[in-house]
Amino acid sequence: MNRFVKFLIVIMVLFSGCISTNDNSVSEIKSEQVSDVLYQVSTINALMESIYDGFVPVDELVTHGDFGIGTFDKLDGEMVVLDGICYQVKADGVAYRVENVTTPFATVTSFENDETYYLDNMNISEFESYFESKFPSKNMVYAVKLTGNFSKMKTRSVPSQEKPYEKLVDVVKNQSVFEFENVSGTVVGFWVPEFMSGLNVPLYHLHFITDDRLAGGHILDFEIDSVEASFDTTPEFYMVLPTSGEFYSMEFSDNLENDLKAVEKQ
Amino acid sequence: MNRFVKFLIVIMVLFSGCISTNDNSVSEIKSEQVSDVLYQVSTINALMESIYDGFVPVDELVTHGDFGIGTFDKLDGEMVVLDGICYQVKADGVAYRVENVTTPFATVTSFENDETYYLDNMNISEFESYFESKFPSKNMVYAVKLTGNFSKMKTRSVPSQEKPYEKLVDVVKNQSVFEFENVSGTVVGFWVPEFMSGLNVPLYHLHFITDDRLAGGHILDFEIDSVEASFDTTPEFYMVLPTSGEFYSMEFSDNLENDLKAVEKQ
């Protein structure tokens, strides 16, 4: 994987100037209206069942929140929305800033710190247990944001799919994995209670974007060097289901729970 | 139960004049804004776990939809919202029109006919199978409305609870049951896909209110004489969770699915 990190560094140097020119132009979020709402496109189970056709444009998505995660039409990469800007981390490991694409599955909110902690030298399991213990309730949704330096960060992305689509549990067998060392960036994601499984990923679902917004992906593992970690309690939930296409005729499998564990942590 | 029906008839005659005077004053729904959204207060599992403290006022609830069902603070009866007016069917079997009360669990939408069928001589199982076969997808929420005459209607309501609250599965052991014959009225309710279980009652959940708006309840059984049956496809879902109180510290039981079946159809 070190070869890939070197490749990324080259890409970062080449493109950092032109990508960072107009970072603040997309976001015009009225945060007071959407701050407590998790806005969700479709369901995680639909994504598991290979419903990959996007139906909500990203420029509409970001009017519902400046912070979030998801994927893109044809499952083309991992989404990170941060400060109202949508990034597409493709299977080549590069984060592209995008507006004119659609999403088949995403969750966003307007992030406002409720509580902030300064954490050093923790692996992902230690972080997850510690941070969960700070949540005021296990029956609530939290937006989770970590900004700082990671001694290790392991992410993945998936390539654009062609019809007939394979199931997500099979697609991730060919995922691209990226490993970073001593990388600065932001973890963007959510913690969702168990009673919402079927709709969203239960417990943590975290994506990553580097400080220079040039790389990232769906997080498989990390080790914290030193970060500022915040959460935003989000008691309202607004879900929009597809009103046409394959979602309408889909028959859900019984075994999605086990498949989801394989997809999230493989 | 015939004594009770006679009692209801007396009540209807006594109160029908004064209750029907200002039927249209509550509803000021902007249906174009909320027509495709199922607005939900809390979750059915929270209600199962005896979270009965109301936290959303009914006069706020009806701004999110003119049609729906639910219950009231302290589990005090069965809710029917029809034409923007909220009725509370208490354990005495009488439907009271209410505004200044709160709800711990309710679902409403702005009802607009998508498809309408004229049905005669069906029992509840025949109706449920037939109507489900007309839905364009099994992965969608439908508001369900039947207006007409029922040769038989069996409903229940539950009495106001005192703390420490008993679980719903125990409360319904002392429910009041009402049986009507040849009654005209409206069935108000929803059909919700299996993947939303935990949040709402899977498949059908139906309440009833008589034409004179004086009686009704949670439906246990019916036989259709002749009705107009409509459904409204509802692809958006907006849920508001409690942000304080016992919901925050509640630990969900594992056996809620079986308990729910007992609660719904007992």
Side-chain angles (χ1 to χ4, degrees):
Chain A
M1 287 301 143
N2 282 334
R3 274 183 61 205
F4 190 79
V5 174
K6 285 174 195 162
F7 168 74
L8 278 180
I9 291 168
V10 173
I11 294 283
M12 287 169 199
V13 172
L14 287 173
F15 288 92
S16 56
C18 59
I19 291 188
S20 62
T21 47
N22 57 345
D23 272 4
N24 297 314
S25 62
V26 175
S27 175
E28 291 183 5
I29 309 301
K30 292 175 185 169
S31 64
E32 70 278 13
Q33 291 180 357
V34 293
S35 63
D36 286 336
V37 183
L38 181 73
Y39 177 85
Q40 178 169 313
V41 175
S42 191
T43 74
I44 189 66
N45 278 4
L47 198 73
M48 297 292 297
E49 295 280 19
S50 65
I51 309 295
Y52 302 148
D53 289 339
F55 66 103
V56 173
V58 157
D59 54 5
E60 183 191 328
L61 180 73
V62 298
T63 67
H64 295 282
D66 59 0
F67 177 98
I69 58 179
T71 186
F72 296 91
D73 186 45
K74 302 187 197 323
L75 201 71
D76 189 11
E78 306 283 351
M79 178 191 293
V80 177
V81 177
L82 185 57
D83 300 327
I85 299 168
C86 183
Y87 302 93
Q88 179 177 19
V89 183
K90 290 200 177 192
D92 61 4
V94 180
Y96 301 87
R97 185 171 166 176
V98 289
E99 294 175 22
N100 298 318
V101 290
T102 59
T103 176
F105 178 72
T107 44
V108 296
T109 190
S110 176
F111 191 88
E112 293 174 335
N113 285 5
D114 283 343
E115 292 186 30
T116 298
Y117 300 86
Y118 296 90
L119 309 177
D120 295 313
N121 300 317
M122 279 185 172
N123 66 31
I124 193 167
S125 303
E126 290 164 345
F127 162 75
E128 290 189 349
S129 304
Y130 175 82
F131 213 51
E132 219 171 73
S133 74
K134 300 300 182 188
F135 295 158
S137 168
K138 296 292 184 296
N139 301 320
M140 193 52 59
V141 173
Y142 302 94
V144 172
K145 182 180 184 181
L146 283 69
T147 304
N149 200 58
F150 297 83
S151 47
K152 179 181 156 187
M153 176 64 67
K154 183 179 179 183
T155 65
R156 72 107 189 275
S157 187
V158 283
S160 179
Q161 301 295 301
E162 299 294 332
K163 291 190 181 186
Y165 293 140
E166 281 189 299
K167 291 205 176 191
L168 190 54
V169 70
D170 295 317
V171 171
V172 297
K173 291 172 185 165
N174 296 313
Q175 65 191 5
S176 307
V177 175
F178 316 116
E179 296 191 49
F180 305 81
E181 290 180 9
N182 295 316
V183 64
S184 292
T186 301
V187 170
V188 172
F190 297 94
W191 188 99
V192 169
E194 295 272 9
F195 64 76
M196 288 174 67
S197 60
L199 303 183
N200 203 314
V201 179
L203 311 183
Y204 291 97
H205 183 188
L206 305 174
H207 287 191
F208 178 68
I209 185 106
T210 53
D211 262 0
D212 54 20
R213 309 294 188 249
L214 289 174
H218 171 105
I219 292 175
L220 299 176
D221 195 13
F222 65 61
E223 284 177 18
I224 291 170
D225 174 23
S226 174
V227 300
E228 181 181 310
S230 309
F231 66 81
D232 181 12
T233 307
T234 308
E236 302 189 12
F237 176 68
Y238 193 163
M239 179 174 68
V240 180
L241 296 176
T243 53
S244 63
E246 292 170 355
F247 179 82
Y248 251 50
S249 54
M250 179 185 61
E251 290 194 20
F252 286 107
S253 310
D254 291 332
N255 200 33
L256 291 179
E257 201 172 327
N258 286 333
D259 283 1
L260 183 59
K261 284 176 189 160
V263 165
E264 289 303 307
K265 297 293 181 189
Q266 202 168 54
Chain B
M1 285 303 141
N2 281 334
R3 274 184 61 206
F4 190 80
V5 174
K6 285 174 193 161
F7 169 74
L8 277 179
I9 292 168
V10 173
I11 294 284
M12 289 169 199
V13 171
L14 286 173
F15 288 93
S16 58
C18 58
I19 291 187
S20 62
T21 47
N22 57 344
D23 272 5
N24 296 315
S25 62
V26 175
S27 175
E28 290 183 6
I29 309 300
K30 291 174 184 168
S31 64
E32 70 278 13
Q33 291 181 357
V34 295
S35 62
D36 286 336
V37 183
L38 182 72
Y39 176 85
Q40 178 169 312
V41 175
S42 191
T43 75
I44 189 65
N45 279 2
L47 198 72
M48 296 292 296
E49 295 280 19
S50 66
I51 307 295
Y52 301 149
D53 290 339
F55 67 103
V56 172
V58 158
D59 54 3
E60 183 190 328
L61 181 73
V62 297
T63 66
H64 295 281
D66 59 1
F67 177 97
I69 57 179
T71 186
F72 297 91
D73 186 43
K74 304 188 199 318
L75 200 71
D76 189 12
E78 306 284 351
M79 179 192 291
V80 177
V81 177
L82 185 58
D83 300 327
I85 300 168
C86 184
Y87 301 93
Q88 178 177 19
V89 182
K90 290 200 178 193
D92 62 4
V94 179
Y96 301 86
R97 184 172 167 175
V98 289
E99 294 176 21
N100 298 317
V101 289
T102 59
T103 176
F105 177 72
T107 44
V108 297
T109 190
S110 176
F111 191 89
E112 294 173 335
N113 285 5
D114 283 344
E115 291 186 32
T116 298
Y117 300 86
Y118 296 90
L119 311 177
D120 295 312
N121 300 317
M122 279 186 171
N123 67 30
I124 193 166
S125 304
E126 290 165 343
F127 162 75
E128 290 188 350
S129 305
Y130 175 81
F131 213 50
E132 219 171 74
S133 75
K134 300 299 182 187
F135 295 158
S137 167
K138 296 292 185 296
N139 301 320
M140 193 52 60
V141 173
Y142 302 93
V144 173
K145 182 180 183 180
L146 283 69
T147 303
N149 200 58
F150 298 83
S151 47
K152 180 181 155 186
M153 176 63 68
K154 184 178 178 183
T155 66
R156 71 107 189 275
S157 187
V158 284
S160 179
Q161 301 295 300
E162 300 294 332
K163 291 190 179 184
Y165 293 140
E166 282 189 300
K167 292 204 175 190
L168 189 54
V169 71
D170 295 316
V171 170
V172 297
K173 291 172 186 166
N174 297 311
Q175 67 192 2
S176 307
V177 175
F178 316 115
E179 296 191 48
F180 305 80
E181 291 181 9
N182 294 316
V183 63
S184 291
T186 301
V187 170
V188 172
F190 297 94
W191 188 98
V192 169
E194 295 272 9
F195 65 75
M196 288 175 67
S197 61
L199 302 183
N200 204 315
V201 179
L203 311 184
Y204 290 97
H205 183 187
L206 306 173
H207 287 191
F208 178 67
I209 185 105
T210 53
D211 262 0
D212 52 22
R213 310 293 188 249
L214 289 174
H218 170 105
I219 292 175
L220 300 177
D221 195 14
F222 65 60
E223 283 178 19
I224 290 170
D225 174 23
S226 174
V227 301
E228 182 182 311
S230 308
F231 66 81
D232 181 12
T233 307
T234 309
E236 303 190 10
F237 176 69
Y238 194 163
M239 179 175 67
V240 180
L241 296 176
T243 53
S244 63
E246 292 169 355
F247 179 83
Y248 251 49
S249 53
M250 178 186 62
E251 290 193 20
F252 286 108
S253 310
D254 291 332
N255 199 30
L256 290 179
E257 202 172 324
N258 288 333
D259 284 0
L260 184 60
K261 284 176 188 160
V263 165
E264 288 302 308
K265 297 294 182 189
Q266 203 169 52

